[in-house]
């Protein structure tokens, strides 16, 4: 027995007190003495240590893609062997599945239903370490191919600390027909124009020769061949990139036959860094904004094809300018990434005016809308022309598919149409058709007036029926209604599944008739431009002089309807010269005064938001903001509502202050340089991202103590933004790790006060699960040895109990004994019953002395005989008799 609590030091003084207070506490009673002794012993929390004769065996089953169906094939045999050789009923057996996630095997032995894209062995081991019973010995048996997609060091440390051995059994079937790209290597980042080496490692069991392709951002760089010698080959290339940003490299092999084609392609990103850089997206071939900024020593990357705007371009950029580029030409992932770029990474954003910008360009309710310092929705009282809008909704069978939250695709299409009705004015007209193999007139051409609620309710009742959508039938029905309208703007919105748009008919002739009469057509395609019927939808939008939207995210559909409705009904570009009026608030951007021009040739009508600072307004009836700016998170946003290039920009371009204006705006957007004494380092190991924040304690310790740094991470694929916690490693060093999903592209920023240290994009390759790097298998063996585990070939030996000393606390039995004895002592005291006393030895009383008077001498010469005492108590006389005899003698003497 051992004492686990420091209270055992009280034992000696407590026993000493027994002697001091023996009489006061009446501890001469044995029961009370025992009670005190038990109480003192209980305070020491004693335990009994003994060898635990049981085992909890956790069997981990690798269910990732790379193990294929090997687990299902072997599981029945493994289960029978483990059950057969289980030593006793006290031993327990647990089966746990894992891949990208961890799930306990169902009671019915059902197969794994989670994501199989990754092998998160570390996550599975940490899960077991957290759920094992510390009072029982445990052991882990891992069935796997040995290739984890994440490091195992942290999990190994936890297993070792808990005394849990890791045994493993390799189950991968070796095949000679599996060539694969093991890795693609190059630096994480290089300077603009700096050459760097690209190394591609290819592995396989058999020697062979096959094609090797290398692409950069989807463009082919080189196509060569690679030859495996002794199962391995390394091919090297050099590249040099003249501009900054993030660039994705993809390596691919094309063997004639392959057992696992999933590991034939690997992708990775590189960051090209340089000086402060502005990304300018423009449709102008000779953009005057680019010329002016370049002349002022700004590094400007001009993108003339908006479809090439990728989130990777934001790497190393300090600001983005959209110069009269419509929303439907900008990829959705780039628009969504701008919000994080500005608010979290501290970037700048500027939208310049034009006929395809702001509301006229379809940016209302787009991801860019909240960034702008102006509101683009035209107020009803400012509208001067009526619009006739016809909406054609696909209600084919594919529209009944659920999209989460109890909603279906048709529900979201209905919501989008209802939003469009809400954005129309009382003088506008609406017609709605639900189309499958024929067009059903849900709402005939109707003037809105005050009937928005009624019309929206009718649209929300459209339901999916079946079959596909007959595009021609829908367009013809819409045009037949729009013909009846005298409105100056007649427009059709066609919503259709890009994978299920049938029976086009003679749509080209129909669309020509529509456009000849001033009608336009825009198309919202549910899916991507790679889908089967995407080309048809693109052609309809192009021939109809409208816009084409693709979205594979059904939740975006209502917003796209709203964007398109605002573009044709609630936006305005004023095409007449308008005077301007400075507000005097330009000084908040620059202390240098600016001599403004007298008028603008045209501008986009908008309204300043509450938090915007307006420097220049129009002098017409609208008093509209022409130059406005605002802070957005750590970044900055600006809106210049008049054109800076192209049509309606002559006055602005000839303005003497044009260069100074752009220079000041550019510096405002780019913000401050990174503060000194602090730096960020990142690396990607498999799927695990590690960030290290290094700083000078003398400069930053006090600042970071008052306001700790924050890490914001965004997954471009999932669209989620996360806050990550730091770990303080040492003075001047914070660190964190995060496991990423396969194929994800992430960007992030470390926020330090009002500054941001951006990083990314970082890409987790799409073939991590199939890399089969030998280093991962070596790591598994090392972790098994570290935890005193084994590579188990004989499953019957899985029940080996590790050394484990269990401890059983005596607090409970001692507590019970104390309660029982306390009750017993109270009972004895209350009833007055005493413990029987032992018999004491009897004392024999002494015989009483009898004084015999001496007789007087007689004259007779005869001898006098001795007088005999009348009381002669014998030793055997009882005490009572002796007492009575003594009393009798005393009474006789008195007489």
């Amino acid at each position: 027995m051992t004492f686990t609590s420091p209270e055992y030091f009280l034992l000696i003084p407590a026993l000493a007190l027994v002697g001091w207070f023996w009489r006061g506490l009446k501890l001469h009673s044995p029961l009370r003495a025992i009670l005190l002794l038990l109480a003192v012993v209980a305070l020491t929390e004693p335990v009994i240590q003994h060898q635990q004769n049981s085992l909890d065996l956790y069997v981990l089953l690798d269910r990732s893609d790379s193990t294929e169906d090997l687990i299902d094939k072997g599981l029945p045999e493994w289960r029978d062997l483990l059950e057969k050789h289980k030593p006793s009923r006290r031993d327990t057996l647990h089966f746990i599945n894992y891949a990208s996630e961890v799930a306990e095997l169902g009671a019915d032995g059902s197969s794994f239903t989670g994501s199989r894209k990754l092998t998160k062995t570390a996550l599975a081991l940490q899960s077991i370490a957290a759920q094992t019973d510390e009072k029982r010995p445990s052991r882990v048996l891992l069935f796997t191919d040995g290739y984890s997609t994440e490091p195992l060091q942290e999990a190994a440390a936890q297993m070792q600390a808990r005394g849990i051995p890791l045994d493993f059994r390799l189950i991968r079937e070796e095949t000679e027909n599996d060539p694969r790209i093991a890795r693609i290597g190059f630096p994480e980042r290089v300077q603009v124009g700096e050459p760097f080496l690209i190394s591609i490692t290819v592995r396989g069991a058999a020697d062979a020769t096959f094609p090797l392709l290398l692409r950069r951002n989807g463009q082919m760089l080189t196509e060569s061949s690679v030859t495996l010698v002794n199962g391995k080959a390394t091919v090297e290339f050099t590249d040099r990139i003249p501009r900054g940003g993030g660039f994705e490299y993809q390596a691919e092999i094309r063997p004639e036959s392959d057992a696992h084609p999933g590991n034939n392609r690997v992708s990775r990103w590189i960051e090209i860094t340089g000086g402060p850089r502005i990304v300018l997206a423009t449709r102008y071939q000779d953009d005057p904004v680019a010329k002016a900024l370049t002349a002022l020593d700004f590094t400007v990357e001009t993108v003339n094809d908006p479809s090439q705007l990728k989130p990777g371009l934001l790497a190393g950029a300090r600001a983005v300018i959209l110069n009269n580029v419509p929303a439907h030409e900008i990829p959705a992932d780039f628009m969504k990434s701008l919000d994080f770029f500005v608010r979290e990474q501290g970037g700048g954003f500027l939208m310049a005016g034009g006929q395809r910008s702001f509301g006229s360009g379809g940016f209302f309710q787009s991801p860019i809308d909240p960034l702008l310092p102006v509101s683009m929705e035209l107020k009803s009282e400012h509208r001067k022309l009526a619009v006739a809008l016809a909406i054609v909704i696909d209600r084919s069978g594919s529209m009944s598919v659920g999209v989460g939250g109890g909603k279906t695709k048709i529900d979201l299409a209905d919501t989008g149409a209802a939003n469009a009705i809400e954005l129309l004015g009382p003088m506008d007209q609406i017609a709605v058709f639900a189309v499958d193999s024929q067009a059903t007139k849900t709402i005939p051409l109707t003037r809105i007036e005050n009937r928005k609620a009624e019309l929206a309710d009718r649209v929300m009742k459209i339901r999916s029926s079946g079959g596909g959508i007959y595009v021609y039938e829908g367009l013809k029905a819409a045009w037949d209604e729009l013909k009846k309208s005298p409105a100056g703007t007649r427009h059709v919105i066609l919503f259709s599944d890009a994978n299920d748009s049938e029976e086009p008919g003679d749509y080209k002739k129909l669309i020509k008739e529509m456009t000849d009469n001033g009608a336009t057509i825009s198309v919202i395609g549910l899916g991507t431009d790679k889908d089967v019927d995407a080309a048809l939808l693109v052609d309809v939008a192009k021939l109809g002089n409208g816009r084409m939207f693709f979205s594979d995210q059904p939740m975006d559909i209502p917003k796209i309807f709203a964007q398109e409705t605002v573009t044709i009904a609630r936006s305005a570009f004023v095409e007449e010269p308008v005077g301007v009026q400075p507000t005097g608030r330009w000084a908040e951007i620059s202390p240098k005064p600016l001599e403004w021009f007298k008028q603008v040739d045209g501008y986009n009508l908008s309204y300043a938001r509450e938090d915007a600072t307006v420097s220049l307004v129009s002098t017409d009836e609208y008093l509209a903001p022409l130059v406005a700016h605002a802070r957005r998170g750590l970044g900055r946003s600006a809106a210049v509502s008049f054109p800076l290039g192209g049509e309606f920009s002559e006055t602005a371009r000839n303005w003497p202050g044009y260069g100074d204006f752009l220079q000041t705006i550019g510096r405002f957007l780019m913000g401050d340089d990174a503060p000194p004494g602090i730096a960020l380092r990142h690396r990607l190991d498999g799927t695990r991202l590690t960030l290290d924040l290094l700083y000078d304690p003398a400069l930053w310790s006090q600042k970071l103590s008052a306001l700790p740094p924050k890490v914001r991470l965004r997954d471009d694929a999932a669209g989620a933004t996360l806050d990550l916690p730091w770990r303080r490693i040492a003075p001047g060093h914070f660190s964190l790790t995060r496991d990423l999903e396969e194929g994800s592209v992430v960007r992030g920023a470390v926020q330090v006060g009002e500054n941001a240290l951006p990083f990314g994009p970082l890409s987790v390759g799409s073939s991590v699960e199939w890399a089969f790097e030998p280093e991962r298998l070596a790591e598994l063996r090392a972790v098994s040895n570290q935890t005193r585990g084994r590579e188990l070939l004989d499953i019957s030996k899985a029940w080996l109990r590790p050394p484990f000393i269990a401890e059983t606390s005596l607090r409970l039995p001692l507590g019970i004994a104390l309660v029982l004895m306390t009750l017993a002592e109270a009972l004895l005291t209350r009833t007055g019953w005493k413990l029987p006393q032992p018999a004491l030895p009897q004392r024999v009383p002494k015989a009483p002395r009898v004084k015999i008077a001496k007789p007087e001498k007689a004259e007779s010469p005869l001898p006098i005989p001795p007088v005999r005492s009348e009381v002669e108590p014998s030793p055997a006389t009882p005490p009572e008799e002796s007492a009575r005899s003594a009393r009798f003698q005393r009474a006789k003497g008195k007489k």
Side-chain angles (χ1 to χ4, degrees):
M1 184 175 72
T2 62
F3 301 101
T4 62
S5 173
E7 284 86 354
Y8 72 88
F9 289 111
L10 299 174
L11 183 60
I12 296 176
L15 292 176
L17 287 175
V18 174
W20 285 94
F21 297 102
W22 184 274
R23 186 172 300 275
L25 296 178
K26 299 182 179 180
L27 294 179
H28 53 276
S29 168
L31 199 56
R32 293 193 180 184
I34 294 173
L35 274 174
L36 180 59
L37 181 60
L38 284 178
V40 173
V41 172
L43 285 176
T44 65
E45 299 185 6
V47 296
I48 295 178
Q49 294 183 338
H50 56 89
Q51 176 68 35
Q52 180 69 279
N53 191 26
S54 62
L55 178 66
D56 295 332
L57 181 61
Y58 292 87
V59 180
L60 274 179
L61 306 173
D62 178 357
R63 296 286 192 168
S64 61
D65 283 335
S66 59
T67 60
E68 298 181 346
D69 57 350
L70 299 178
I71 292 291
D72 288 329
K73 289 180 180 178
L75 182 57
E77 179 185 356
W78 302 333
R79 189 201 300 267
D80 291 343
L81 284 172
L82 291 172
E83 290 286 357
K84 178 180 179 181
H85 292 88
K86 185 164 65 171
S88 68
R89 294 183 178 179
R90 293 187 297 272
D91 300 310
T92 62
L93 181 61
H94 309 270
F95 287 90
I96 297 177
N97 290 317
Y98 81 97
S100 297
E101 54 197 83
V102 181
E104 190 166 350
L105 184 67
D108 58 352
S110 57
S111 184
F112 184 65
T113 59
S115 172
R116 297 174 180 263
K117 291 183 178 180
L118 298 173
T119 306
K120 291 194 172 184
T121 304
L123 176 65
L125 294 177
Q126 289 171 333
S127 175
I128 289 178
Q131 65 180 287
T132 54
D133 187 349
E134 296 182 357
K135 298 180 180 180
R136 290 173 56 89
S138 301
R139 198 173 195 100
V140 174
L141 173 57
L142 171 63
F143 289 93
T144 179
D145 59 4
Y147 299 101
S148 172
T149 57
E150 60 183 356
L152 303 178
Q153 294 90 344
E154 291 186 11
Q158 294 184 24
M159 298 277 287
Q160 185 178 23
R162 294 291 303 274
I164 304 175
L166 171 61
D167 301 331
F168 67 94
R169 170 82 174 265
L170 297 180
I171 60 172
R172 177 169 169 74
E173 292 180 345
E174 293 298 332
T175 175
E176 296 184 358
N177 188 26
D178 183 26
R180 61 190 179 275
I181 297 181
R183 67 185 299 270
I184 176 172
F186 46 70
E188 293 283 350
R189 66 184 64 82
V190 297
Q191 295 292 321
V192 171
E194 178 185 354
F196 57 93
L197 184 69
I198 303 172
S199 175
I200 302 173
T201 302
V202 183
R203 297 181 184 273
D207 293 348
T209 300
F210 36 78
L212 171 65
L213 289 72
L214 181 64
R215 299 181 179 88
R216 183 179 69 200
N217 283 359
Q219 301 296 319
M220 183 69 69
L221 286 183
T222 181
E223 183 173 358
S224 60
S225 62
V226 59
T227 300
L228 297 182
V229 178
N230 296 325
K232 181 180 179 182
T234 300
V235 184
E236 295 181 341
F237 305 93
T238 58
D239 198 7
R240 180 190 313 220
I241 300 177
R243 65 183 189 276
F247 297 85
E248 183 182 23
Y249 284 87
Q250 290 180 332
E252 180 183 1
I253 57 174
R254 292 181 175 176
E256 292 184 1
S257 59
D258 191 355
H260 303 289
N263 54 16
N264 291 353
R265 178 180 297 180
V266 172
S267 62
R268 186 178 172 189
W269 285 75
I270 187 172
E271 180 181 351
I272 308 299
T273 62
R277 176 170 129 264
I278 296 177
V279 175
L280 171 64
T282 176
R283 274 296 192 179
Y284 304 127
Q285 294 301 318
D286 193 13
D287 196 310
V289 174
K291 282 186 175 180
L293 291 175
T294 302
L296 295 167
D297 294 329
F298 286 89
T299 301
V300 181
E301 181 176 353
T302 304
V303 180
N304 293 112
D305 181 3
S307 66
Q308 297 303 311
L309 292 171
K310 305 295 182 184
L313 284 175
L314 300 175
R318 298 281 291 277
V320 174
I321 299 176
L322 297 184
N323 194 5
N324 199 26
V325 178
H328 71 276
E329 294 185 2
I330 301 176
D333 58 349
F334 182 81
M335 279 208 290
K336 291 179 179 179
S337 64
L338 279 175
D339 189 84
F340 186 86
F341 169 72
V342 174
R343 297 181 189 273
E344 310 297 347
Q345 294 186 313
F349 174 69
L350 167 67
M351 180 175 288
Q355 290 180 304
R356 297 194 292 177
S357 188
F358 291 97
S360 300
F363 288 98
F364 177 74
Q365 287 196 4
S366 72
I368 291 177
D369 188 355
L371 290 177
L372 291 171
V374 296
S375 172
M376 295 175 283
E377 181 184 355
L378 192 64
K379 295 180 180 179
S380 297
E381 59 268 25
H382 291 162
R383 293 191 57 209
K384 297 180 179 179
L385 296 176
V387 170
L389 176 64
I391 299 177
V392 178
I393 297 178
D394 176 1
R395 68 167 182 182
S396 61
S398 62
M399 292 295 107
S400 62
V401 176
V403 294
K407 300 287 186 180
T408 62
K409 293 179 181 179
I410 193 66
D411 291 333
L412 297 177
D414 294 347
T415 302
N419 288 349
I421 293 173
E422 183 64 32
L423 290 168
L424 294 175
M427 58 185 175
D428 296 323
Q429 294 174 297
I430 183 69
V432 179
F433 297 87
V435 183
D436 41 35
S437 57
Q438 61 183 6
T440 301
K441 188 183 297 184
T442 303
I443 300 177
L445 189 66
T446 304
R447 192 178 177 90
I448 297 293
E449 296 178 343
N450 60 350
R451 304 172 60 186
K452 287 185 179 181
E454 173 197 341
L455 297 173
D457 184 62
R458 288 162 67 178
V459 168
M460 293 299 294
K461 294 179 180 178
I462 297 177
R463 292 292 177 264
S464 173
S465 58
I469 175 175
Y470 285 18
V471 173
Y472 176 82
E473 295 296 330
L475 292 177
K476 186 177 183 304
W479 176 233
D480 288 342
E481 286 295 299
L482 290 182
K483 285 179 184 179
K484 307 173 185 177
S485 173
T489 301
R490 293 181 289 184
H491 188 70
V492 177
I493 298 178
L494 169 64
F495 170 74
S496 183
D497 190 336
N499 257 328
D500 193 20
S501 299
E502 306 175 22
E503 195 66 34
D506 194 359
Y507 70 96
K508 293 184 179 181
K509 180 180 178 180
L510 174 63
I511 293 175
K512 187 176 186 306
E513 179 187 346
M514 295 173 67
T515 55
D516 287 346
N517 287 275
T520 54
I521 307 170
S522 291
V523 180
I524 302 173
L526 183 58
T528 71
D529 56 0
K530 304 294 191 300
D531 290 337
V532 176
D533 299 315
L536 167 64
L537 300 182
V538 171
D539 199 34
V540 170
K542 183 178 179 180
L543 294 174
N545 298 327
R547 290 156 291 277
M548 179 71 233
F549 303 88
F550 282 109
S551 177
D552 57 358
Q553 301 294 324
M555 303 302 290
D556 291 341
I557 297 302
K559 292 183 180 179
I560 298 176
F561 268 98
Q563 293 172 33
E564 182 62 15
T565 304
V566 168
T567 300
I568 58 103
R570 297 186 75 91
S571 64
F573 182 82
V574 179
E575 300 181 1
E576 302 166 354
V578 176
V580 302
Q581 176 65 47
T583 65
R585 304 190 68 178
W586 179 254
E588 297 183 19
I589 291 181
S590 172
K592 182 180 178 180
L594 190 64
E595 188 68 30
W596 294 97
F597 40 71
K598 301 301 182 183
Q599 68 176 29
V600 292
D601 299 333
Y603 74 94
N604 295 86
L605 180 56
S606 61
Y607 310 94
R609 299 187 192 271
E610 292 183 0
D611 61 346
T613 299
V614 180
S615 301
L616 190 70
V617 298
S618 66
T619 58
D620 56 11
E621 60 181 303
Y622 306 117
L623 295 177
L626 299 178
V627 177
H629 69 273
R631 292 299 299 258
R632 293 289 181 261
L634 295 180
R636 295 145 298 280
S637 174
V640 178
S641 299
F642 54 87
L644 294 174
E647 194 176 3
F648 302 102
S649 69
E650 183 177 357
T651 299
R653 287 185 288 109
N654 293 330
W655 171 38
Y658 186 79
D660 290 343
F661 171 74
L662 289 178
Q663 182 183 42
T664 303
I665 284 286
R667 288 177 176 170
F668 165 74
L669 294 175
M670 298 178 75
D672 300 326
D673 293 332
I678 192 166
L680 180 66
R681 184 177 62 197
H682 64 269
R683 65 183 183 275
L684 196 61
D685 183 7
T687 61
R688 178 161 296 177
L689 170 66
T690 301
L691 297 179
D692 291 290
L693 182 66
L694 307 173
Y695 61 92
D696 184 351
L699 296 176
W700 286 95
S701 290
Q702 186 173 357
K703 297 178 183 178
L704 296 182
S705 297
L707 186 62
K710 296 195 304 182
V711 183
R712 300 279 285 169
L713 187 71
R714 177 180 173 82
D715 186 337
D716 285 339
T721 300
L722 306 173
D723 289 305
L724 305 182
W726 282 112
R727 290 184 302 164
R728 185 185 176 109
I729 304 299
H733 186 191
F734 283 98
S735 183
L736 66 83
T737 58
R738 173 75 181 183
D739 291 322
L740 307 176
E741 293 296 327
E742 182 189 27
S744 62
V745 178
V746 298
R747 294 175 295 116
V750 177
Q751 300 177 3
V752 184
E754 295 186 355
N755 300 102
L757 304 176
F759 63 90
L762 302 173
S763 174
V764 180
S766 58
S767 58
V768 174
E769 171 62 21
W770 302 94
F772 301 145
E773 298 176 357
E775 295 81 5
R776 294 301 186 196
L777 185 55
E779 182 184 33
L780 176 61
R781 297 184 192 276
V783 168
S784 180
N785 290 334
Q786 179 181 343
T787 60
R788 299 189 177 185
R790 307 158 293 168
E791 181 174 357
L792 197 62
L793 301 179
D794 185 356
I795 297 179
S796 64
K797 298 180 180 179
W799 292 98
L800 178 64
R801 292 182 173 86
F804 188 90
I805 301 299
E807 293 183 345
T808 301
S809 175
L810 296 179
R811 295 180 63 181
L812 180 61
L814 285 176
I816 295 174
L818 278 170
V819 172
L820 294 177
M821 295 188 70
T822 301
L823 293 175
E825 199 278 338
L827 179 64
L828 295 178
T829 302
R830 191 170 188 83
T831 58
W833 186 80
K834 295 183 180 180
L835 293 174
Q837 301 293 328
L840 297 177
Q842 299 288 339
R843 289 184 62 189
V844 179
K846 295 181 179 180
R849 291 183 177 182
V850 179
K851 187 176 181 180
I852 302 175
K854 294 181 179 181
E856 295 179 1
K857 293 183 178 180
E859 295 179 359
S860 173
L862 293 175
I864 299 173
V867 179
R868 185 175 182 178
S869 174
E870 295 182 11
V871 180
E872 292 184 358
S874 71
T877 305
E880 294 81 358
E881 293 294 331
S882 298
R884 286 196 297 269
S885 176
R887 287 195 299 270
F888 173 77
Q889 292 296 334
R890 285 196 297 271
K892 184 177 179 180
K894 289 180 180 180
K895 291 181 180 180

